[in-house]
Every structure is written in structure tokens, then in C-alpha cells.
């Protein structure tokens, strides 16, 4: 099982890396097709080192630790209470209990007929 998970992880990593390389190659092809270097046309994945600070951008969107913290806080607030999720859980419980009750009644009725 561990070998399988390791193989899946390696395969997914290789495929992700291949997608990023393909996007970078497509970007270089677009630059060659245009015939000049357009500063608006950026690479798929860029890492810049500005005076000791490392900044990453994916598809032109800057990725910073503050952005990740804000998104984490938003996810925590969203997961705090979700009205539709609560209704869905209650509906699932009602349906599950109803089906169990109906099955118990049918099995009791069938066992009564077979005796």
C-alpha cells in the first residue's frame, strides 16, 4: 500500500511538473510568435528574489504568505456555520432513519408471514 501511494505521489508530481513546463513552453512560443518581448506576457511560474525576499507568482498572480493567511481565515469563517450544510445533514438523518424504520417493518412483516 505504501509503495502504491508513493508511486501515485511521484506520478502526480511528475505530471504537475510537466504541466508547468508545458505552460512555460507555450509562453515562450507566444513570445517567439509575436516577434518581440512583451512585458505583459509573463511566464506560468516565476520566482523572483528581491533583496533577500522571495516572491512567487503563478499565472501572473502574486502569491504571498499574507494572502494565504487571509484565505485560511476566510475558510475558517465559512466553515463556522453553513446553513445549507446543516439542512442537508438533518435531511440525511431523517431519510436514513425513515428508510431504516421501513426496512425493519418490512422484515418483521416478512418474518411474520414465513412463520
Amino acid at each position: 500500500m505504501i509503495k502504491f501511494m508513493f508511486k501515485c505521489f511521484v506520478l502526480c508530481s511528475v505530471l504537475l511538473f510537466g504541466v508547468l513546463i508545458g505552460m512555460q513552453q507555450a509562453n515562450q512560443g507566444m513570445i517567439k510568435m509575436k516577434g518581440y518581448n512583451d512585458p505583459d506576457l509573463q511566464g506560468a511560474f516565476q520566482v523572483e528574489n528581491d533583496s533577500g525576499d522571495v516572491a512567487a507568482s503563478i499565472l501572473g498572480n502574486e502569491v504571498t504568505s499574507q494572502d494565504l493567511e487571509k484565505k485560511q481565515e476566510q475558510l475558517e469563517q465559512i466553515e463556522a456555520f453553513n446553513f445549507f450544510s446543516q439542512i442537508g445533514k438533518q435531511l440525511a438523518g431523517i431519510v436514513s432513519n425513515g428508510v431504516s424504520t421501513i426496512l425493519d417493518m418490512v422484515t418483521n412483516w416478512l418474518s411474520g408471514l414465513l412463520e
Side-chain angles (χ1 to χ4, degrees):
M1 183 69 174
I2 293 175
K3 285 183 181 180
F4 175 74
M5 293 298 290
F6 180 72
K7 287 179 184 178
C8 287
F9 176 74
V10 169
L11 180 64
C12 289
S13 299
V14 168
L15 291 174
L16 176 65
F17 188 67
V19 167
L20 289 176
I21 289 175
M23 291 172 79
Q24 190 67 30
Q25 290 294 327
N27 181 34
Q28 289 175 357
M30 293 288 289
I31 290 172
K32 287 180 184 177
M33 188 174 67
K34 267 191 162 184
Y36 61 94
N37 192 4
D38 187 4
D40 294 335
L41 195 61
Q42 298 177 351
F45 182 75
Q46 295 177 343
V47 177
E48 300 170 357
N49 191 355
D50 298 333
S51 67
D53 295 334
V54 177
S57 65
I58 298 176
L59 298 176
N61 296 330
E62 298 265 340
V63 178
T64 61
S65 60
Q66 291 88 9
D67 292 340
L68 295 177
E69 290 172 1
K70 288 179 185 176
K71 288 180 183 180
Q72 180 68 29
E73 290 175 7
Q74 287 176 349
L75 284 175
E76 288 173 358
Q77 290 175 356
I78 289 172
E79 291 178 2
F81 180 74
N82 188 344
F83 178 71
F84 294 109
S85 176
Q86 294 298 326
I87 289 176
K89 287 178 184 177
Q90 290 177 356
L91 182 63
I94 291 169
V95 169
S96 177
N97 290 335
V99 169
S100 295
T101 305
I102 290 172
L103 286 176
D104 287 339
M105 289 174 26
V106 168
T107 54
N108 288 337
W109 179 71
L110 285 176
S111 65
L113 285 178
L114 295 176
E115 292 178 355

